[in-house]
Amino acid sequence: MSNLNTDQQRKFYLKTLGCQMNEHDSEVIVGILTGLGYQQTENCEHADLILYNTCSVRENPERKVYGQIGSFKMLKQQNPDLLIGICGCMPQQKEELDQILTTLPHVDLVFGTHNIHRLPELLERAQTEERVVEVWDDSKGIVEDLPIIRANKFKAFVNVIYGCNNFCSYCVVPYTRGRERSRLPKDIVAEIRQLADEGYKEVTLLGQNVNTYGADLDQKATFAELLTMINDLSGIERIRFTTSHPKDIQDDLIEAIATLPKVCEHLHLPVQTGSDRILKQMNRHYTSAYYLDLVAKIREAVPDISLTTDLIVGFPGETETDFQETLNLVEKVKFSSAFTFIYSPRPGTPAAKMPDQIPEVVKKERIYRLIELQNQISHEYMQAHVGKTEEILVEEITTKTCELSGRTRTNKQVLFSGSPDLMGQLLHVKIIEAKTWSLKGVLA
Ligand code: SF4
């Protein structure tokens, strides 16, 4: 196909932006392309196919995609057989799709989040057609048994529910990923059993809102029931999940975290803001008091749990008082870490049309204050680990320092020296030093 790789295996370069859902979609893309005889390359200049799996959640990364793909025009001039594709969340939005098609004429292939399984056919058409664009508004059912080549040999992402029904006023996900569709428990269990047979030790169950898992199935199931089924599978040692909408956390889930031995003591529970007024504007369906009560209930049941969150600053209409309420909530909860975001309007969402958008300078000043506070709290949280012995799963060797890297059950990274043979093992490590984002340990 390419005049660069005429007598070699065809190569693809895949760039993944965004959340773990996208990372996992990329694992499926790698599986499909490998099955078609392609080999992955980290150098886009060596590729016969360049594919960008895009994210729409924030504005800045989206702008960068246009810049980066724009720069591939040169590569295309040098190698007219090169195929350039865009997939993921950006093409799922009408405005972005139009912009991709008009401003990036050298893009050959565009598809969305619902038809990744159609990649072999789309790619074949792209060899002969000027441009192939196939974006589905919604999925036509869940496609099982797609090939997947996972990025890690010991821990795996497993989708349990696709889409979202919540329509938070700032978020594009319900538009780009469609309504909630749960996989059947038997399909999820079969996938995880297979992973256990292949030597995987840890699974992270993925969904925009895993707490509503099973509500759309003919034979209703709950997420806690699913956790119980997975907990019974031998070989799998750890179960994680993300993301949980606070309004949908039920007591049976808290009990499952407290009692099922393989379910790790970490809960990502996005609060977004501490202001009830802004929570209402965000369409989040809870108040800060409800959230604090929920945190207290979870901590009572699982005292060692690590709580992490997402926070947005500068939502339209956010006053200094609203922002103070966010700082107060962060002080009270003491999250072990938080993803902090500056609000950016996403076309097509209600919040983008709200009056009183906050000036960038104010948003920046607020996010610095929020990060400073959270960093102090994270630092204290990490320091409290020093001297303790933690169970970790050894996941990889760091490229910079060649140390082994693993994670505690509470999802904190631990670096330590040891033999590469320890990869994939559950070990106990004594923590000797805490940094803001990682811990240093020695084998216990
Ligand atoms: S719950 Fe809200 S923020 Fe999360 S994906 Fe759904 S709409 Fe977006």
Side-chain angles (χ1 to χ4, degrees), residues 284-332:
R284 292 288 289 176
H285 296 283
Y286 55 84
T287 61
S288 56
Y290 164 87
Y291 188 91
L292 291 170
D293 283 350
L294 181 62
V295 164
K297 196 177 348 171
I298 295 166
R299 284 198 166 133
E300 196 184 343
V302 194
D304 291 337
I305 200 157
S306 159
L307 289 174
T308 55
T309 201
D310 295 336
L311 294 157
I312 297 173
V313 300
F315 187 83
E318 183 190 70
T319 62
E320 176 59 27
T321 309
D322 294 316
F323 177 64
Q324 275 297 338
E325 284 169 2
T326 299
L327 295 179
N328 293 345
L329 183 134
V330 167
E331 282 265 24
K332 280 186 195 150

Side-chain angles (χ1 to χ4, degrees), residues 164 166-168 170-171 173-174 208 245 272 284:
C164 182
N166 286 308
F167 290 92
C168 300
Y170 50 84
C171 182
V173 168
Q208 303 298 342
H245 196 307
Q272 310 299 3
R284 292 288 289 176

Side-chain angles (χ1 to χ4, degrees), residues 142-299:
I142 294 173
V143 183
E144 291 290 347
D145 298 325
L146 288 173
I148 302 173
I149 294 190
R150 296 175 196 271
N152 189 283
K153 296 255 165 301
F154 312 109
K155 56 175 193 174
F157 292 133
V158 176
N159 283 323
V160 299
I161 179 168
Y162 299 92
C164 182
N165 291 354
N166 286 308
F167 290 92
C168 300
S169 64
Y170 50 84
C171 182
V172 287
V173 168
Y175 310 93
T176 60
R177 297 248 169 205
R179 295 300 77 71
E180 289 175 1
R181 291 142 355 248
S182 300
R183 289 178 72 195
L184 293 172
K186 74 170 177 53
D187 291 331
I188 298 167
V189 167
E191 180 177 346
I192 297 177
R193 193 174 282 130
Q194 168 84 26
L195 287 168
D197 289 346
E198 291 168 18
Y200 282 86
K201 297 274 170 58
E202 179 181 304
V203 286
T204 301
L205 311 178
L206 296 180
Q208 303 298 342
N209 182 15
V210 292
N211 303 122
T212 44
Y213 170 79
D216 58 312
L217 293 174
D218 290 341
Q219 221 172 346
K220 302 268 177 283
T222 67
F223 187 56
E225 286 163 1
L226 181 68
L227 288 174
T228 307
M229 285 180 227
I230 300 168
N231 190 73
D232 288 343
L233 297 175
S234 60
I236 294 300
E237 307 281 356
R238 287 176 160 193
I239 305 167
R240 301 187 187 280
F241 57 87
T242 195
T243 292
S244 291
H245 196 307
K247 76 175 166 58
D248 295 316
I249 292 224
Q250 304 294 329
D251 289 351
D252 63 346
L253 175 61
I254 299 175
E255 197 187 326
I257 304 170
T259 56
L260 297 176
K262 295 179 184 174
V263 176
C264 290
E265 296 77 23
H266 170 222
L267 186 62
H268 187 66
L269 196 60
V271 64
Q272 310 299 3
T273 169
S275 156
D276 289 344
R277 207 175 61 81
I278 299 292
L279 280 169
K280 196 154 198 282
Q281 295 289 309
M282 287 179 165
N283 199 29
R284 292 288 289 176
H285 296 283
Y286 55 84
T287 61
S288 56
Y290 164 87
Y291 188 91
L292 291 170
D293 283 350
L294 181 62
V295 164
K297 196 177 348 171
I298 295 166
R299 284 198 166 133

